[in-house]
Amino acid sequence: MRLTRICRLLTQGFTRNQYLRTSGRFISCTSIRSDEILTSGGFTKASEERDPLPLFLSEEVQTWLQKMTGFDIEKICAPKPFEADKPTYRQLTQDELEKEKQRAIQIAKRRLQMPPVMKIRDGSFEVLQKDPGLNMFSNAKHVFTDISFGLKDRKRLIVVREPDGTLRTATGKERDRLNHVYFPEDGRAPVMPQMFEEEYLETILEKGKYRYILDRACVQFDPDDPEFIRVTHRTYEVVCERHQFDVLRSTRHFGPMAFYFAWYKKIEPLLTDMVQRDLLTDGVNLIKLYFKMHQELSSTEVLEENIDELHIIKNFCEKMVKNPNYKGQLQLAIQAYEAALPLQAKHSQS
Amino acid sequence: MAAGWFNLSRMAVHHLIIQGKVASTDFILCKAAIWRSCQGINNKCFLQSVRHVTFINKQTSVDIWKSATGVSNVGRKRGRARSSRRFVDLNKNRKLGEGREGMQWPGLNSPVFSRKDGREVNKLKVLPPNPEKQEELIKLREQSMKRKGRKISPLHRGWTGNKLPGTSIGCPDPVEDYTFEGFDTSVLEFKRVSSMTGTMGRRSRFSAFVVTGNGNGLAGYGIGKAPNGRSALRMAMNRAAQHLIYVDRYENKTVFHNFFVAFHKTRLFVEKKEQGYGLVCHRALKTIAQKIGIQDLYCKVEGSTRNIQSLTKAFFEGLRRQETHQELADRLSLHVVEYRPEMDNIPRVVASPMSNVREKREDGEEEVDFETLYYSGRLPFRKPKQEPFYSKYQSFERKMRQEYKRRNQPDALRLRIVHGLQPDYEVNRPKTKKQ
């Protein structure tokens, strides 16, 4: 009786939960109606790719990316577009002010935490049991979720009993949905908002709201969600096309963006921007990252020992850049930098 | 037929009389003229001896109207003229010779001789009736009787109605070479005041109280009295321009700190506010703040809120006595640090002392509360919000309990509609008649 009621409610788009307590664990049962029928293992396309996560999390790469990001505290903590409140004032001694400044740096560092770069999760699942006796027990799938306290969303056990009696683990999409039902994230919509759909995404990017869409994607998706990867990659592409890298400096998205360009071997526009903005150290770090990722390329020609930053970039331009368009732009930027060097020296002397 | 035209001729003569163009003594003469002009069409004309001696043809239209609408001199002084009926010019837009029935009067409303050869004499003619003519005349008359008020944009109207306070009266008159460019003046108070004199008795004048400013820190107020309202305004405006003071503002937006200031019975508690808050204060203070160039402010007035002059003087005095952050930092030998919630509450140094900064506080020295530092020991009375009378009723509690269950439903419904999980019935709902 209860089951039919649950099913009837589900056809109207509602969910009803029923809590069971078994051996100290809280297991919740939800029935979901879904058109997709999964019977065999999922696609393995994503698993063929190289996993960028270990490289991204390595200490050396993190340091390079953090240095590239920059640390403009006024930009990191710029006024947010929500309702302001009245400011408070304090009168501080020198010691107290130093402590407060340290606290501000900690706040800003937290704001700059980079979202991890991961490969697309595979849609595979594991069949745990096939029970023909349960065939057609219901016309909806029943999902069992471990909602015990202290479990992480990615570790939580979620299994699905198909109407044909198959018991299997849940796919990534199902996991997202169920996790959101029991442990909703603040700001995450239950269904993907339309702005992430391709046509609407283009209009937002056209307006130059890169930071907004990236921030919003971090809230909405897990970092290995195919949608997250699609949205972020498209945004990086548009930023590169328009040469607007500076918008993302001092934000948490600059590191993953640089990582993306290095991963797909198109660092030239970003490198040009760094030379134009007199950020040669960043440029060298980017080149180092590039060679660390692609160890099949020999870095000995470019990263010679005991040469200065400008020469490394020059070497890179000459030996590694194939695209004539990119090469021309980078050469121009280097020439402009060299032309401005004597002026800079004079300025610093006076 | 004969009686018909006679009536017409009577009408025409009355017409002339009412217009005040012909005196009633000329009646017979006039009638004869008309009779002569229409001899051509009717030879069987006859004269009947009639006495038309009533007040209506003895008096001119002006006199007749006066009898209905006039007010005596005494009455006028007492203000009775205000409520009396207004004179209506019934002959407005009406041509001589035109009546209720259409007629062509040669020599009056049409030429005497025909246009063709200039020899033939035009004859009196009855034209087809035009019933719309009368309505048209009434409409035209009513239109011209209506007063045409000048339309003022809502932003330039005063605080209330057709009154002067709150309106702008332009920039002050130039003094030698200096033209007050960018200045604007607003009226704060405009009233009639009177005093008794030995020789003239009660002498009344207009008193104008205005504030002028350039919206960029420079402002002043002034008062002027004159028998004429306009000259009082001008006098006040020029006096205000002679008493300008410069008001220091924080980021050109708001005051430096909360402060208390009093003038006679008027006490102000002014609060510094964040950007975008607006001016939430007495309307006079709002006008003054606009003239100074303050954009964000809250002010609570305790005591007299009606005495505009005290209010203005108190506000200017308070602004003048402000201590800037730099002065505060110098006084305490400490950094003045700002924390803004929309900027993650990171410390932003707004002023550092010119001389040495203190490394440590003295023993037992407490931090100053910036909020109440300039309230001179007072605090504004904040009335606690009263709960509505029904809040303790059982029925209300019951209702709240019922609504508690449904508290998220409207939002959830909206979300489902937004994500396309549920059709929007509101959009497609057929319109039903209210019963």
Side-chain angles (χ1 to χ4, degrees):
Chain A
M1 183 59 207
R2 188 163 50 199
L3 205 60
T4 45
R5 216 174 93 233
I6 291 168
C7 293
R8 201 186 309 136
L9 284 164
L10 284 166
T11 52
Q12 292 164 2
F14 291 88
T15 54
R16 181 58 59 101
N17 307 324
Q18 167 196 359
Y19 296 95
L20 309 166
R21 197 168 176 194
T22 48
S23 63
R25 278 189 173 264
F26 286 94
I27 307 288
S28 171
C29 167
T30 310
S31 38
I32 60 167
R33 213 170 67 113
S34 160
D35 294 334
E36 58 179 325
I37 298 158
L38 297 170
T39 45
S40 62
F43 67 101
T44 52
K45 192 183 148 200
S47 56
E48 286 166 6
E49 272 183 31
R50 197 149 60 102
D51 189 4
L53 188 63
L55 185 66
F56 178 78
L57 291 181
S58 71
E59 208 169 301
E60 200 178 20
V61 173
Q62 282 287 311
T63 322
W64 288 336
L65 293 178
Q66 276 164 11
K67 277 183 183 167
M68 265 185 252
T69 303
F71 197 80
D72 179 3
I73 200 160
E74 287 286 315
K75 187 175 175 183
I76 300 165
C77 298
K80 315 284 180 300
F82 49 70
E83 213 169 303
D85 203 354
K86 68 177 175 185
T88 49
Y89 289 87
R90 289 179 67 192
Q91 295 82 39
L92 302 180
T93 61
Q94 191 64 39
D95 294 352
E96 286 165 341
L97 182 65
E98 294 305 325
K99 274 182 199 164
E100 284 294 289
K101 278 183 176 168
Q102 284 306 314
R103 191 179 63 86
I105 288 169
Q106 289 308 315
I107 293 170
K109 272 186 180 167
R110 264 181 69 84
R111 293 243 166 234
L112 284 185
Q113 192 191 27
M114 288 180 264
V117 177
M118 298 171 83
K119 69 171 182 178
I120 298 177
R121 69 178 171 212
D122 52 3
S124 65
F125 53 84
E126 193 187 333
V127 175
L128 302 173
Q129 187 203 13
K130 281 193 176 175
D131 192 347
L134 283 173
N135 193 8
M136 296 312 288
F137 77 103
S138 162
N139 55 0
K141 296 174 195 173
H142 281 221
V143 185
F144 299 89
T145 313
D146 187 353
I147 56 166
S148 311
F149 176 75
L151 284 177
K152 295 200 168 170
D153 279 1
R154 298 178 74 84
K155 292 280 164 71
R156 178 169 290 120
L157 178 75
I158 302 177
V159 291
V160 182
R161 177 76 77 174
E162 296 274 356
D164 64 356
T166 312
L167 185 69
R168 60 167 175 87
T169 54
T171 61
K173 218 173 178 180
E174 286 165 343
R175 289 191 70 90
D176 277 355
R177 187 172 158 187
L178 268 299
N179 276 328
H180 185 76
V181 166
Y182 296 109
F183 306 97
E185 288 274 332
D186 215 9
R188 183 178 285 194
V191 179
M192 185 182 82
Q194 282 189 330
M195 67 175 160
F196 293 119
E197 285 169 17
E198 267 173 43
E199 48 174 329
Y200 300 112
L201 181 66
E202 289 305 317
T203 40
I204 283 197
L205 293 178
E206 213 157 89
K207 288 177 190 166
K209 294 186 173 181
Y210 316 123
R211 207 177 155 182
Y212 172 74
I213 199 80
L214 290 172
D215 281 340
R216 198 65 185 70
C218 284
V219 177
Q220 182 63 34
F221 306 113
D222 276 357
D224 58 349
D225 194 317
E227 298 292 341
F228 178 77
I229 287 160
R230 175 181 62 80
V231 169
T232 48
H233 285 193
R234 181 67 199 132
T235 313
Y236 301 151
E237 284 298 324
V238 175
V239 169
C240 179
E241 270 169 37
R242 298 202 191 164
H243 221 70
Q244 289 177 331
F245 305 102
D246 202 41
V247 176
L248 294 185
R249 273 208 181 87
S250 294
T251 71
R252 59 192 301 203
H253 309 295
F254 194 87
M257 181 180 71
F259 193 88
Y260 165 81
F261 290 136
W263 187 261
Y264 289 99
K265 295 186 184 175
K266 38 189 167 186
I267 59 169
E268 293 86 351
L270 181 57
L271 195 59
T272 313
D273 182 74
M274 282 167 170
V275 175
Q276 280 167 350
R277 288 177 193 276
D278 196 3
L279 300 167
L280 294 192
T281 319
D282 290 356
V284 172
N285 284 339
L286 186 63
I287 292 169
K288 282 179 187 166
L289 177 68
Y290 180 82
F291 283 117
K292 175 143 190 170
M293 271 177 195
H294 308 288
Q295 285 180 351
E296 70 278 10
L297 305 169
S298 75
S299 62
T300 45
E301 290 176 359
V302 178
L303 297 169
E304 293 167 40
E305 276 178 23
N306 301 327
I307 58 166
D308 65 345
E309 292 164 342
L310 187 61
H311 277 91
I312 294 177
I313 294 170
K314 264 183 171 176
N315 282 347
F316 182 82
C317 179
E318 282 162 21
K319 285 159 192 164
M320 303 305 291
V321 183
K322 299 284 185 309
N323 185 330
N325 198 3
Y326 285 158
K327 195 166 194 167
Q329 283 175 3
L330 190 52
Q331 275 170 345
L332 269 178
I334 291 168
Q335 277 169 21
Y337 180 81
E338 280 177 333
L341 268 182
L343 277 174
Q344 269 183 0
K346 205 183 272 179
H347 193 74
S348 58
Q349 272 174 16
S350 62
Chain B
M1 178 68 195
W5 92 255
F6 181 69
N7 278 344
L8 282 173
S9 71
R10 249 175 78 180
M11 248 179 59
V13 174
H14 275 290
H15 199 89
L16 297 178
I17 293 167
I18 288 167
Q19 276 197 326
K21 290 184 178 169
V22 188
S24 56
T25 44
D26 298 337
F27 181 59
I28 300 300
L29 202 78
C30 199
K31 203 163 183 179
I34 294 162
W35 175 71
R36 245 178 268 128
S37 74
C38 59
Q39 252 183 344
I41 58 158
N42 200 339
N43 290 327
K44 282 196 283 178
C45 182
F46 59 90
L47 275 174
Q48 197 185 347
S49 75
V50 183
R51 285 186 73 84
H52 297 287
V53 188
T54 68
F55 75 96
I56 211 144
N57 50 24
K58 259 169 131 181
Q59 307 290 334
T60 62
S61 66
V62 177
D63 289 337
I64 295 168
W65 269 112
K66 236 180 192 176
S67 69
T69 63
V71 181
S72 69
N73 273 343
V74 183
R76 195 177 298 279
K77 272 183 190 165
R78 300 221 168 148
R80 280 182 210 136
R82 263 187 198 178
S83 57
S84 71
R85 261 192 77 184
R86 283 178 188 280
F87 167 76
V88 182
D89 187 0
L90 293 171
N91 297 319
K92 193 121 196 178
N93 300 317
R94 193 172 278 189
K95 282 176 193 165
L96 199 65
E98 267 181 13
R100 213 162 283 161
E101 285 167 56
M103 285 292 289
Q104 187 184 309
W105 301 101
L108 193 60
N109 60 1
S110 67
V112 178
F113 298 104
S114 68
R115 275 183 191 171
K116 277 178 187 170
D117 50 3
R119 284 185 192 172
E120 205 180 320
V121 178
N122 271 342
K123 286 171 186 172
L124 190 70
K125 221 195 268 177
V126 182
L127 298 174
N130 185 3
E132 287 159 16
K133 184 79 184 170
Q134 194 66 20
E135 281 170 24
E136 224 170 84
L137 277 176
I138 291 170
K139 208 175 165 188
L140 278 173
R141 191 203 302 154
E142 276 174 2
Q143 253 179 17
S144 62
M145 288 284 290
K146 264 186 197 166
R147 279 190 188 176
K148 281 174 192 166
R150 207 151 47 87
K151 190 90 177 163
I152 311 167
S153 127
L155 290 175
H156 299 120
R157 285 177 212 156
W159 297 331
T160 176
N162 201 17
K163 300 279 168 58
L164 264 175
T167 54
S168 162
I169 52 168
C171 71
D173 296 332
V175 177
E176 294 183 357
D177 292 345
Y178 189 76
T179 55
F180 288 88
E181 218 169 277
F183 275 80
D184 190 36
T185 313
S186 278
V187 185
L188 294 176
E189 195 180 51
F190 186 76
K191 60 187 181 185
R192 216 171 71 145
V193 290
S194 55
S195 61
M196 295 300 280
T197 58
T199 50
M200 291 157 66
R202 188 184 295 272
R203 193 180 76 144
S204 58
R205 294 184 295 175
F206 285 97
S207 157
F209 186 65
V210 306
V211 60
T212 189
N214 65 352
N216 199 15
L218 215 50
Y221 60 88
I223 191 164
K225 284 178 195 159
N228 183 337
R230 208 169 268 267
S231 37
L233 284 171
R234 199 185 161 102
M235 192 188 280
M237 178 167 72
N238 290 334
R239 272 189 192 155
Q242 297 294 320
H243 294 88
L244 296 177
I245 65 160
Y246 181 72
V247 178
D248 232 347
R249 295 157 298 152
Y250 179 64
E251 289 180 345
N252 291 350
K253 294 269 185 225
T254 184
V255 289
F256 275 96
H257 50 73
N258 301 351
F259 61 82
F260 167 81
V261 67
F263 192 90
H264 291 315
K265 286 285 177 189
T266 306
R267 299 185 292 278
L268 308 185
F269 289 93
V270 176
E271 283 183 23
K272 175 195 178 89
K273 285 293 177 185
E274 69 276 5
Q275 191 178 344
Y277 184 85
L279 296 167
V280 183
C281 50
H282 190 286
R283 59 188 185 181
L285 297 182
K286 189 175 171 183
T287 308
I288 297 167
Q290 280 166 351
K291 293 288 159 271
I292 295 170
I294 295 171
Q295 291 169 15
D296 309 302
L297 187 86
Y298 171 80
C299 179
K300 179 158 182 0
V301 185
E302 282 183 11
S304 175
T305 59
R306 282 194 189 174
N307 191 338
I308 303 283
Q309 295 188 19
S310 294
L311 206 63
T312 310
K313 284 166 191 167
F315 190 45
F316 267 93
E317 179 62 15
L319 292 174
R320 200 182 58 75
R321 283 205 302 230
Q322 276 186 100
E323 187 179 37
T324 62
H325 293 329
Q326 186 60 54
E327 285 163 0
L328 177 66
D330 289 343
R331 182 158 67 85
L332 300 176
S333 298
L334 293 170
H335 294 289
V336 178
V337 184
E338 184 190 58
Y339 295 81
R340 286 165 64 178
E342 72 271 21
M343 289 189 72
D344 297 331
N345 278 327
I346 55 164
R348 300 171 77 235
V349 180
V350 286
S352 293
M354 305 282 249
S355 52
N356 291 337
V357 191
R358 277 196 282 163
E359 293 289 326
K360 277 178 185 172
R361 287 175 197 278
E362 288 161 23
D363 289 342
E365 186 192 349
E366 282 183 15
E367 214 173 294
V368 191
D369 182 14
F370 190 77
E371 286 275 297
T372 54
L373 182 57
Y374 303 93
Y375 273 160
S376 39
R378 294 160 197 262
L379 278 177
F381 176 62
R382 296 193 202 280
K383 206 174 169 187
K385 202 177 180 185
Q386 280 196 328
E387 286 191 351
F389 66 94
Y390 51 78
S391 62
K392 279 178 187 166
Y393 285 7
Q394 265 194 345
S395 54
F396 184 69
E397 271 180 30
R398 197 161 54 235
K399 189 193 169 203
M400 294 307 280
R401 266 205 305 281
Q402 283 167 357
E403 287 195 348
Y404 184 75
K405 291 177 196 163
R406 293 193 288 266
R407 66 198 187 280
N408 285 334
Q409 286 301 311
D411 286 345
L413 175 72
R414 210 189 63 241
L415 263 181
R416 285 202 297 276
I417 292 168
V418 164
H419 291 303
L421 300 175
Q422 184 170 344
D424 190 356
Y425 295 120
E426 285 293 324
V427 174
N428 304 319
R429 178 177 288 175
K431 280 179 186 173
T432 49
K433 279 182 187 174
K434 277 186 182 175
Q435 286 178 350

